[in-house]
Amino acid sequence: MRKKLGIIGAGNVGATLALFAVNSGLCDVVMFDIVEGMPQGKALDILQNTVVLGIKANIIGTNNLEDLSGSDIIVITAGLARKPGMRRKDLLMANADIVGGIVKKLSSQCPDAIYIVVTNPMDVMAYLTLAISGVGRQRVLGMGGILDLSRFKTFISMELGVAPKDIETLVLGGHGLYMVPLVRFTTVKGIPLSKWLSKEKIEALVQRTREGGAEIVSLLKTGSAYYAPAQSTFEMVKAIILDEKRILPCSVYLDGEYGAKDVFNGVPVILGKQGLEKIIELELTDEEKQAFANSTEEVSNMIKILKEEGKI
Ligand SMILES: NC(=O)c1ccc[n+]([C@@H]2O[C@H](COP(=O)([O-])OP(=O)(O)OC[C@H]3O[C@@H](n4cnc5c(N)ncnc54)[C@H](O)[C@@H]3O)[C@@H](O)[C@H]2O)c1
C-alpha cells in the first residue's frame, strides 16, 4: 500500500511539495489549509498535471483535518512566511499558535506519523511539535540543513563552474544566519574546497549562503523561497518512504549530543523508515563548537519565550 503524506498548509511550500510528491508516484497526498476551496483547487490542478504525465495519483485538498487520519508522514508548512525586514523571531508567537493547535488535533488521529516541520522558526516549531505530539524524538524532524546545503553547493558550483553533484559538504546548526558550515568537510570531487578557492572567497560564499533566504525574499518582494525548500523537504520524505538511510542534515531533538540538551538543532543524521535513525556526531574544532553553541542558544532562548508564554 502506498504511504499517505499529509501536508499542512497548501501555500507555496506545501503545494509545491504536493506536486513533487505526487509526481514521484511514491505516495498519496492529502493537503490541508484553512482557506476554503484553495487546497481543493490546487489538488485538482495537481491531479490534472499527473494526467498529462500519465501517472496514477491520489491527491485531495481539504479544510477538514480529519481527512489526514492515518497519515504516515505529516509535513507542517502552515503559518506566516517571512516578509522583507521581518525577523524569524517575529513569527514565533503567531506560528506557535498555528502549529501547536494543529499538532494537538492531529496527534490522536495519526498515532504512527513521522512529522517534518518546515514552518519558521523551524527548530522551535519542531520542539513545540515534539512536546505537544508526545511522540518519540525519532519521529520529529525539522527541515533546514538540506536547503542550506543546496544553497552553498549552488554558489560553489557557480563560482567554480563545476557540477553541483561533484560537491560534498556538511552544515550544522540553525537554519540561515546561525548556520555552521563545515568548510573543512567540503570537497569538490574529493579535493578540499581550500585547494580550489581562497579563504576570503570561501567566507563570501558562506555569507551568501547564510543570507540565502533573505536574498530571495528581497527579490520576490512578497513571500519567501519555496521551490528549493519544497524539494529539500521532499528529499526527507523520500528517504523515509524508501528507507534510504540517507545522511542528511536535519534539525532533531538533542539530548546531550554536540554538547546540547533539550533543544532542536541541525546535525547530520541517518534518515530511514523510522525517521531519525542515528545522529552522527563529529568532532568539532573549538571555533565550530562555539558557533554551534551560539546557534543552540538562539533556539533555546525562543523555546524559553514559548514556555514563559504558556505555549508549551
Ligand atoms: N525551514 C525552512 O527552511 C523554510 C523554507 C521556506 C519556508 N519556510 C517557512 O514555511 C512556512 C510556509 O511558507 P510558504 O512560503 O508556503 O508560505 P505561504 O504563505 O505561501 O503558505 C502558508 C499557508 O499556511 C496556511 N495557514 C495559515 N494558518 C493555517 C492553519 N491554522 N491551518 C492550516 N493552514 C494554515 C495559509 O493559508 C497559507 O496557505 C513559513 O513559515 C516559512 O517561513 C521554512
Side-chain angles (χ1 to χ4, degrees):
M1 211 170 76
R2 283 211 291 202
K3 297 284 184 197
K4 179 170 175 177
L5 171 66
I7 301 177
I8 307 292
N12 284 336
V13 177
T16 309
L17 169 65
L19 176 71
F20 294 158
V22 164
N23 284 358
S24 76
L26 287 179
C27 50
D28 296 337
V29 173
V30 180
M31 185 165 60
F32 168 87
D33 203 287
I34 39 162
V35 179
E36 276 186 33
M38 185 268 272
Q40 292 86 342
K42 290 191 180 182
L44 193 56
D45 192 10
I46 290 173
L47 188 65
Q48 289 164 0
N49 117 89
T50 64
V51 172
V52 178
L53 292 171
I55 293 169
K56 184 183 174 328
N58 281 315
I59 174 166
I60 62 162
T62 182
N63 304 115
N64 182 359
L65 264 186
E66 284 178 11
D67 289 330
L68 277 96
S69 291
S71 294
D72 298 290
I73 302 175
I74 295 170
V75 176
I76 302 178
T77 74
L80 307 180
R82 201 155 43 116
K83 299 192 177 76
M86 192 178 185
R87 291 193 45 203
R88 283 177 193 277
K89 238 177 184 168
D90 303 333
L91 296 176
L92 179 62
M93 288 304 151
N95 285 354
D97 285 336
I98 294 172
V99 172
I102 289 167
V103 173
K104 203 173 279 176
K105 288 186 197 140
L106 280 182
S107 47
S108 58
Q109 278 171 236
C110 309
D112 301 320
I114 293 175
Y115 292 84
I116 299 175
V117 181
V118 179
T119 304
N120 276 320
M122 172 275 290
D123 307 275
V124 187
M125 293 302 127
Y127 185 96
L128 181 75
T129 299
L130 180 69
I132 293 180
S133 66
V135 301
R137 74 164 172 168
Q138 271 193 307
R139 293 208 267 135
V140 181
L141 302 143
M143 189 291 291
I146 302 172
L147 178 59
D148 287 330
L149 281 194
S150 76
R151 288 176 174 157
F152 194 31
K153 286 188 189 177
T154 302
F155 300 140
I156 294 171
S157 82
M158 282 161 60
E159 184 64 31
L160 294 178
V162 299
K165 70 176 176 186
D166 286 332
I167 303 168
E168 271 300 338
T169 181
L170 263 181
V171 293
L172 295 177
H175 175 50
L177 290 181
Y178 286 88
M179 179 188 83
V180 182
L182 297 180
V183 175
R184 68 198 166 95
F185 292 128
T186 304
T187 58
V188 180
K189 212 64 199 169
I191 303 160
L193 189 60
S194 55
K195 302 269 184 228
W196 296 83
L197 291 170
S198 68
K199 206 166 171 255
E200 293 71 32
K201 193 74 223 176
I202 293 172
E203 189 42 48
L205 298 184
V206 164
Q207 199 48 33
R208 189 169 178 198
T209 304
R210 278 209 178 95
E211 293 168 3
E215 181 177 353
I216 291 176
V217 166
S218 67
L219 288 167
L220 291 179
K221 312 289 187 293
T222 59
S224 55
Y226 55 96
Y227 294 115
Q231 196 65 261
S232 304
T233 310
F234 182 60
E235 200 71 357
M236 295 171 71
V237 169
K238 193 154 63 90
I240 295 167
I241 292 179
L242 297 178
D243 193 23
E244 288 182 312
K245 316 286 187 205
R246 290 287 310 277
I247 298 178
L248 295 168
C250 300
S251 183
V252 297
Y253 183 83
L254 298 173
D255 188 21
E257 296 88 358
Y258 287 95
K261 235 180 155 32
D262 193 32
V263 69
F264 266 73
N265 210 347
V267 294
V269 304
I270 297 180
L271 261 197
K273 65 174 185 234
Q274 313 286 342
L276 161 65
E277 302 203 343
K278 189 174 188 243
I279 293 175
I280 296 172
E281 278 208 77
L282 304 166
E283 209 161 302
L284 301 183
T285 64
D286 288 346
E287 202 183 328
E288 288 160 354
K289 271 186 203 154
Q290 189 54 52
F292 189 76
N294 293 345
S295 158
T296 303
E297 192 186 345
E298 170 78 4
V299 181
S300 291
N301 287 340
M302 285 194 267
I303 291 171
K304 196 164 151 242
I305 296 171
L306 283 192
K307 287 184 174 167
E308 282 164 5
E309 296 289 324
K311 308 274 182 211
I312 302 178

